[in-house]
Structure formats: C-alpha cells, structure tokens
Amino acid sequence: MDKTELKTRKVSAFNLGCDKNRVDLEHVLYALKEYGFQIVDNIEDAEIIFVNTCAFIAPARKEAIDAILTAIHEKTHGRAEKVIVGGCLPQRNLEELRHALPEVDYFLDYKNNDKIVSVIEELYDVKPTKFAPTEHKRVLTNFPHYAYLKISDGCSNACAYCAIPRIRGRFRSTPIDALVKEAKELASFGVKELIIVAQDVTRYGIDIDTNLLELLKELVKIKGIEWIRLHYLYPELVTDELLDFIKNERKMCKYVDIPLQHIDDIVLKNMNRRTSEQQIIDLMDKLKTKYPEISIRSTFIVGFPGETRAQFKKLCNFLKKYKLDNVGFFPYFREPNTKAFFYKKQVPEFVKRKRLKKIADLQGDIALFNNMTRIGQVHKVIVDYYDEENKYFVARTEFCSPNVDFCVIIDSGVKVGEFYNVELTDLSELGYKGEVK
C-alpha cells in the first residue's frame, strides 16, 4: 500500500477516563487529521480504531477492556482493519494485555502519542515519512465553546490509594508559552471557556520555576476567552493570592474544585495526604467568610482501610457544617501497586455501599438547600446544547462545571455556545429552570 491509499482510511476513537485523557486524544486526532485521515464518529465506519484507555481503578479498567473487545469485534466482523490501544492501560498491564488480546495491532505508550502516524504507516507497511503534526492543535471532542487545557502530566504526591504516579510518572509542568499558544489556538476555534486541568493544578510550575498564578495572568489576556475554571486544587497550596485573583479577575469563574478525600487526621495520614484536618477547616472557614462568592466542589473517598464509624460520622458532620455546593463520592478501590493495597482492616464492601448511600443522600439534601438559595437570582450562563428529545436548552452558571454539576434548563430564546443573563426561577431533578432577562 502507498501513502495515497493509506490516507483513504477512516479513523474513529473511543475516549475513556478523565478530561486529561481527552486532551491527549484530541492532540492524537489532530495529527491523524493533518496527515490526511478522515475522522469519523461511528466505529462501524472506520478502518482504524484507536482506544484511549483509563486504568485508574478497577471499573475503569473493565470499561477499557470492554471498549477494546468492541473494537476487536469490529475488526473480526466489520470493516475495521487495525486496532490501536493507547492511554493509561498499556502503562499498567502491557505484557498481560499483549498475551490476552493478540488481536490488538499496537499498544501505544502515551508518551509516544506524537508518533501515531508513524505507527500506522508501520502497521500498513507504508514507507515512513517525516510527517510531524502541528504542535498545540487539537480536534475538539466536546461542545466547541469550551475546552480542557491540561497544564501538566504525572503526579508526585504519592497518595496511598492512587496508582497515577506509577502510570503517568512524576509531575511535569508544560511551559507557559506552550500553554498560551494552545489556548490562543482554542480561542480561534471559538472556545469561550477554558477548564484548567492537571492531577494537581496548584503545583503547576514547581519544576520549571513558575506558578499557577503567573500562568493565569497570561491566560486571562487572551481575546475570546470569557471564562477560566480551575479543577483539582490540592488544599495545602490554595493561597490567599490565588483566591484573591479568582475573586477579583472578571474572567475567572468563581469556582474551585478541591479534592479533600477525607477530614479525619488519621485517615488523611493513612492516605498519605499532605493536609491535616485543621488545615482543611481553616481553608473552609476562609472560603466561607472571606470568599463567599466562590463555589466549592470536592470529592471524598468512603470506606478507606481502617475507616471507623466515628471517622465516617466526622466526615458527615463536616459536610453538614460547611455545606459544599457540589460533591462527588467514591468507594475505596483496593488497587494493586499502591501502598493502601497492603493495609489491614480493609472495609467490607457492604459497609462501603451503606456509607456511600448515606453520605450521598446527605449531600443531596445539602445541595438542594444550597441551590434553593439561588432561586430568584440572575446569573450569567453559557448554553451547552439543545436537548432534542425534551425540547429544551441546557446551560450552566459559572458555579457549575460541564457534566458533573447542576445545569440550567431554558425553554427558548437562546443559542448554543452563547452567554445570557438568566433568572433562576425554579428547581427540579433536572436542574434550575431559567428565564432569559
């Protein structure tokens, strides 16, 4: 096969896992598109299928294997010719995967994503070219008015339950000039909201003699970007200077996602977290008193090894007191190659499920209370999409991140991707009811 014939191949992709993984895939898709491949949504229409996997916890690995098997089915029963698997799973279980899934044509190390074209040329026995994809460009895989900007890779925090450092390596920041260039490119595509992501955004720049605040000061200068949202700020490095910038800068969403994981000192120590109960309380007190306009999202792990009923109750009481706006809960998963895997006093699964339901119900009541306080207020929203089945538009305030937080339902009079001032008139299981003002 020659290069011209190779370019007639259509490529489709599965994307699994976190938004950082999504960014990696979008760079891969741009390289494929720039080379000449046609990107298609339906894998049944593709000759080449790329599966971008997650391997963080057991359910994610199962989902990844299911996606790979679906791709293999298309190869054996459909029109697909090649299956390539990338992302985190090959970093964790490469030899096992090669043995169990010989139908996969190539397992791509995520550090070699920029070599995707060379890999495909090799698979088709096409003479290699000197093709190098344009840096910083992406094919967006979500709605075109918002995009995730991954500012670092890897993690050096070594939390006892987490395998990310083994999978992705140590924390590595991307230089500011490269990120600004990518953000400007996204703005030229029509992106209006940047969602800053990393395993720990607060540590940005620690390895390259800069910091998150310096990056944000450059990003807010970009024409076309109206909102900048921060995900995954570890509590020990949330400074007054950063909070002041979020409060006072017009483009910064009044929103912080701070994964606390627990509140009890013993549990935090066993998790190998770098924050104490008192430090968390001090931060929450500060946010609630000095920065009440900033909405707080967090995540917590339920059923960590050794968690007692008293420690779980302390976590529930913490939520009752501080009434965080948006919270995600996860049962502890016993992951191989992590410190906590070897801990004694593993919590039984039925206890995890019971605690998970109790705390989720508690937070549901808290969220309802918090959201009711905004009824009658007017807020700026961005319209994400039109729901064809239910015949309404779905929008978000700056207090809500895509896909995980509350939305605003608007019947008519708006366009997708645009900003509007909307009065929040009612609340249901679907979200707020909103009327354009």
Side-chain angles (χ1 to χ4, degrees):
M1 181 182 296
D2 61 20
K3 183 177 177 180
T4 301
E5 185 179 356
L6 177 61
K7 289 183 178 182
T8 66
R9 268 40 187 177
K10 296 177 182 178
V11 182
S12 188
F14 283 98
N15 186 62
L16 305 170
C18 66
D19 299 316
K20 300 178 288 296
N21 228 28
R22 177 186 294 273
V23 174
D24 289 347
L25 176 65
E26 289 176 349
H27 285 293
V28 167
L29 291 178
Y30 187 85
L32 295 171
K33 182 179 179 181
E34 190 174 28
Y35 181 77
F37 293 115
Q38 180 182 347
I39 310 300
V40 296
D41 292 331
N42 194 335
I43 65 168
E44 294 178 359
D45 298 328
E47 286 85 18
I48 303 169
I49 301 176
F50 182 78
V51 186
N52 197 39
T53 62
C54 176
F56 180 49
I57 53 178
R61 293 195 296 279
K62 182 182 183 304
E63 184 182 24
I65 294 298
D66 289 345
I68 295 169
L69 292 175
T70 299
I72 289 172
H73 178 81
E74 289 301 316
K75 179 182 175 182
T76 54
H77 296 89
R79 67 182 292 169
E81 299 167 348
K82 305 293 180 183
V83 173
I84 301 171
V85 174
C88 291
L89 192 62
Q91 303 301 119
R92 191 165 187 179
N93 303 97
L94 181 57
E95 293 307 317
E96 180 182 339
L97 289 170
R98 283 174 172 165
H99 177 75
L101 300 168
E103 301 91 344
V104 173
D105 295 280
Y106 198 92
F107 290 98
L108 181 66
D109 187 319
Y110 77 91
K111 296 187 290 294
N112 294 325
N113 279 348
D114 60 338
K115 296 181 173 60
I116 183 66
V117 168
S118 298
V119 167
I120 294 174
E121 287 179 331
E122 180 181 338
L123 292 177
Y124 280 92
D125 198 25
V126 171
K127 184 179 179 180
T129 65
K130 293 183 179 181
F131 172 80
T134 304
E135 292 183 359
H136 317 305
K137 294 193 176 185
R138 292 154 54 179
V139 172
L140 293 181
T141 56
N142 49 254
F143 302 113
H145 52 275
Y146 71 83
Y148 298 90
L149 185 67
K150 187 174 79 166
I151 63 174
S152 69
D153 209 338
C155 186
S156 300
N157 288 336
C159 296
Y161 50 82
C162 183
I164 292 298
R166 287 182 175 269
I167 297 172
R168 306 292 291 200
R170 294 185 64 80
F171 186 87
R172 306 176 305 283
S173 301
T174 302
I176 286 181
D177 58 348
L179 293 171
V180 170
K181 186 175 182 180
E182 184 170 339
K184 287 180 177 178
E185 184 73 21
L186 292 170
S188 74
F189 294 160
V191 168
K192 299 175 181 179
E193 177 182 4
L194 281 181
I195 304 173
I196 309 300
V197 292
Q199 201 65 32
D200 178 359
V201 301
T202 42
R203 280 187 170 74
Y204 174 77
I206 197 169
D207 54 332
I208 56 172
D209 195 29
T210 186
N211 58 63
L212 177 62
L213 193 56
E214 292 304 311
L215 170 63
L216 294 175
K217 287 177 180 178
E218 295 301 316
L219 293 177
V220 297
K221 297 176 184 177
I222 298 174
K223 185 177 180 180
I225 300 298
E226 292 296 320
W227 278 0
I228 298 177
R229 185 182 305 277
L230 297 178
H231 273 208
Y232 320 129
L233 295 86
Y234 276 53
E236 63 270 21
L237 292 180
V238 178
T239 64
D240 289 0
E241 190 177 18
L242 175 60
L243 293 174
D244 286 341
F245 187 78
I246 295 171
K247 176 180 179 178
N248 297 320
E249 169 55 50
R250 177 184 64 83
K251 290 189 177 184
M252 294 299 300
C253 288
K254 308 305 178 264
Y255 177 102
V256 289
D257 186 329
I258 306 175
L260 298 173
Q261 308 304 4
H262 214 279
I263 186 61
D264 181 79
D265 267 333
I266 295 175
V267 177
L268 289 169
K269 182 178 180 180
N270 289 337
M271 286 180 168
N272 206 31
R273 300 287 288 179
R274 304 186 183 190
T275 315
S276 69
E277 176 180 344
Q278 190 58 54
Q279 287 174 313
I280 292 173
I281 288 172
D282 291 345
L283 176 59
M284 292 299 110
D285 285 339
K286 182 190 301 181
L287 283 165
K288 290 293 184 179
T289 56
K290 188 177 178 181
Y291 305 96
E293 61 275 89
I294 297 179
S295 177
I296 307 169
R297 177 177 180 81
S298 191
T299 51
F300 296 91
I301 295 173
V302 174
F304 190 76
E307 183 191 57
T308 64
R309 281 183 289 182
Q311 290 165 337
F312 174 72
K313 184 177 180 180
K314 180 187 286 188
L315 177 57
C316 292
N317 289 338
F318 171 82
L319 292 173
K320 290 177 184 177
K321 178 177 180 179
Y322 288 101
K323 294 181 171 57
L324 308 186
D325 296 289
N326 297 288
V327 181
F329 301 101
F330 301 91
Y332 166 73
F333 289 96
R334 191 179 184 187
E335 286 299 305
N337 298 317
T338 63
K339 185 178 179 181
F341 181 85
F342 302 98
Y343 285 177
K344 298 179 181 179
K345 298 182 180 178
Q346 297 284 331
V347 176
E349 292 300 320
F350 80 91
V351 175
K352 293 180 193 176
R353 290 194 297 270
K354 183 178 179 180
R355 290 178 183 176
L356 193 64
K357 183 180 186 308
K358 181 176 181 178
I359 203 166
D361 289 345
L362 169 63
Q363 179 58 31
D365 292 340
I366 293 169
L368 177 62
F369 172 83
N370 287 348
N371 290 325
M372 288 299 295
T373 64
R374 290 198 170 107
I375 299 300
Q377 297 179 2
V378 176
H379 290 281
K380 183 179 179 180
V381 304
I382 190 166
V383 181
D384 277 343
Y385 63 95
Y386 180 69
D387 188 316
E388 292 282 355
E389 180 178 352
N390 295 297
K391 308 301 180 186
Y392 54 64
F393 291 89
V394 178
R396 288 177 293 110
T397 68
E398 66 179 306
F399 308 117
C400 297
S401 203
N403 304 317
V404 293
D405 297 331
F406 262 69
C407 60
V408 180
I409 305 301
I410 304 171
D411 287 334
S412 61
V414 295
K415 293 181 179 180
V416 172
E418 298 297 329
F419 288 102
Y420 297 89
N421 289 323
V422 169
E423 181 181 357
L424 307 179
T425 60
D426 200 359
L427 187 66
S428 71
E429 291 182 357
L430 297 174
Y432 292 108
K433 174 77 173 177
E435 293 183 5
V436 178
K437 304 306 288 182

